[in-house]
Amino acid sequence: MRQTTLAVLSLSMMAALLTGCGGDLVLLNSKGPVAAGQSSLMMTAIYLMLLVVIPSIIMALWFGWKYRASNKDADYKPTWAHSTAIEIVVWGIPVIIIGILAVLTWVGSHKYDPYKPLESDKAPLTVQVIAEQFKWIFIYPEQSIATVNELRFPEKTPVNLRLTSNFTMNSFFIPALSGQIYAMAGMQTHLHLLSDETSPAEGYRGFSSNYSGYGFSQMRFRAHAVTDAQFAEWVASVKAGKGNSVNPEAVQKTVLDKAEFATLRDGNRSAHQIKVMNETARTDLEKKLAATAKAEGPYPTKPHPVTYYSSVEQGLFESVINTYMSNYHGADHSASEAHATASQGE
């Protein structure tokens, strides 16, 4: 009995410590209507399920105590086989709870659909997001600027994210503001979010929640919700090539075009793997793979520094999607890309 008690206490303590590993319980401390609604749905579902879990735990402990070997007063009914009352409770309550959960799921799935625009008096801000290996690239088509590993937007303004990937599938997640959405090569997914207030100085945590290679743990970024005036000042500073006046730790560059975009890809192997590949390459294919790995370099061991681009090549986001389209190879997509560029200009 003593060992069992110690084991239960140890597991409880471990659970409490693990709960605090992330510091703030961000999923329960939402800063936007989408995340707040999803958090409310999650907690409601937990409370409903606890209506079954808690009584079950209590009864399991109580039955064990009541029908222990030393209790000679406990009822002994070797021929007992059925109880209508117990059957009604055991089946009825779970069915009712499942029915309520089904309704909540149906309503919540439509109300918090990531493709559903948010209602607001302010015009939405559109941001194109590209999951690169291993970093996040944010393109502001209306402002003609771009960033790496930093998302900045005005508070109380809907943000319409358009996401794709330039390598394997990734999951875009800002827990304080919204649920996660996948970014996939050759496809475009949508996500709408809004921050009710300005973010802390360090911003909200954003990251990839889907394993995509050795360097995926470095796919972390910060999302900053600022005032309208601060956002306008930041955009003007970046366009003027002085973005690091707002964020001194950022790297300021000029244009993000296809050539610059190609340099942003990280390698997917460690330095040791690359060394061994080059030392042991014998066939032409092995030498080619080793040379490619050497040119790409090792996967990152820390996030890519925040980088600002004062201008962006028009149609860059669409060109990334077209690269992976199933009918792209051998086809001329210059017309469609030109149309997308013209539409952006309008």
Side-chain angles (χ1 to χ4, degrees):
M1 185 66 181
R2 182 182 178 184
Q3 291 180 340
T4 302
T5 303
L6 289 175
V8 171
L9 291 175
S10 299
L11 289 173
S12 301
M13 183 64 71
M14 187 180 298
L17 291 173
L18 290 174
T19 301
C21 283
D24 182 21
L25 295 177
V26 65
L27 291 178
L28 305 179
N29 190 21
S30 308
K31 301 300 182 182
V34 177
Q38 293 174 341
S39 175
S40 177
L41 282 174
M42 179 181 67
M43 294 309 301
T44 301
I46 290 174
Y47 295 146
L48 284 171
M49 289 183 285
L50 286 177
L51 292 177
V52 172
V53 174
I54 292 178
S56 298
I57 293 174
I58 293 174
M59 285 189 294
L61 296 173
W62 181 66
F63 287 162
W65 173 258
K66 180 177 180 179
Y67 296 103
R68 67 193 185 277
S70 61
N71 185 11
K72 304 303 181 181
D73 296 328
D75 296 335
Y76 177 64
K77 298 180 179 180
T79 60
W80 181 89
H82 177 76
S83 171
T84 301
I86 291 177
E87 291 291 336
I88 291 174
V89 172
V90 168
W91 289 100
I93 293 177
V95 167
I96 293 173
I97 292 176
I98 290 173
I100 297 174
L101 288 174
V103 173
L104 290 175
T105 301
W106 174 269
V107 173
S109 297
H110 289 80
K111 185 176 182 180
Y112 301 109
D113 180 359
Y115 279 60
K116 183 180 179 181
L118 300 176
E119 296 181 0
S120 175
D121 296 333
K122 291 186 175 181
L125 171 70
T126 298
V127 181
Q128 298 167 339
V129 184
I130 302 175
E132 183 52 90
Q133 183 175 312
F134 294 96
K135 57 184 66 67
W136 293 98
I137 299 172
F138 301 96
I139 298 175
Y140 295 74
E142 298 165 357
Q143 289 75 25
S144 297
I145 62 173
T147 67
V148 176
N149 283 351
E150 183 181 280
L151 175 63
R152 197 174 288 257
F153 52 89
E155 63 169 335
K156 301 177 181 178
T157 297
V159 182
N160 298 343
L161 299 177
R162 303 292 182 263
L163 303 98
T164 191
S165 175
N166 193 39
F167 71 124
T168 188
M169 182 170 67
N170 258 280
S171 180
F172 180 91
F173 194 18
I174 307 176
L177 298 178
S178 68
Q180 67 87 28
I181 191 74
Y182 285 109
M184 295 169 280
M187 300 178 65
Q188 179 182 177
T189 52
H190 298 191
L191 180 66
H192 296 83
L193 56 84
L194 182 148
S195 179
D196 291 327
E197 58 189 49
T198 57
S199 62
E202 67 275 11
Y204 301 125
R205 289 189 300 122
F207 52 88
S208 170
S209 59
N210 187 84
Y211 181 77
S212 55
Y214 289 121
F216 106 99
S217 59
Q218 306 307 326
M219 291 187 68
R220 304 195 299 269
F221 66 94
R222 288 288 173 174
H224 296 271
V226 297
T227 64
D228 291 339
Q230 289 173 328
F231 180 74
E233 178 188 0
W234 174 74
V235 171
S237 299
V238 173
K239 292 178 73 70
K242 301 177 182 178
N244 45 18
S245 64
V246 177
N247 182 358
E249 298 180 357
V251 177
Q252 176 71 56
K253 292 190 176 183
T254 53
V255 60
L256 177 62
D257 53 15
K258 291 181 180 178
E260 173 66 18
F261 183 79
T263 66
L264 292 175
R265 169 159 293 199
D266 293 312
N268 197 32
R269 296 178 174 86
S270 67
H272 177 71
Q273 287 176 310
I274 296 173
K275 179 181 178 181
V276 172
M277 287 178 67
N278 281 273
E279 291 176 349
T280 60
R282 298 292 182 267
T283 66
D284 291 339
L285 178 59
E286 289 175 344
K287 292 178 180 178
K288 182 179 179 181
L289 292 174
T292 301
K294 186 176 181 179
E296 290 179 345
Y299 61 79
T301 56
K302 59 181 180 180
H304 188 280
V306 174
T307 306
Y308 298 148
Y309 291 93
S310 56
S311 63
V312 184
E313 179 180 332
Q314 290 190 346
L316 180 62
F317 181 77
E318 290 77 12
S319 69
V320 172
I321 296 176
N322 289 338
T323 301
Y324 295 92
M325 289 176 63
S326 60
N327 65 342
Y328 185 84
H329 299 288
D332 182 9
H333 285 260
S334 57
S336 61
E337 291 183 11
H339 175 71
T341 303
S343 299
Q344 276 191 342
E346 296 174 0

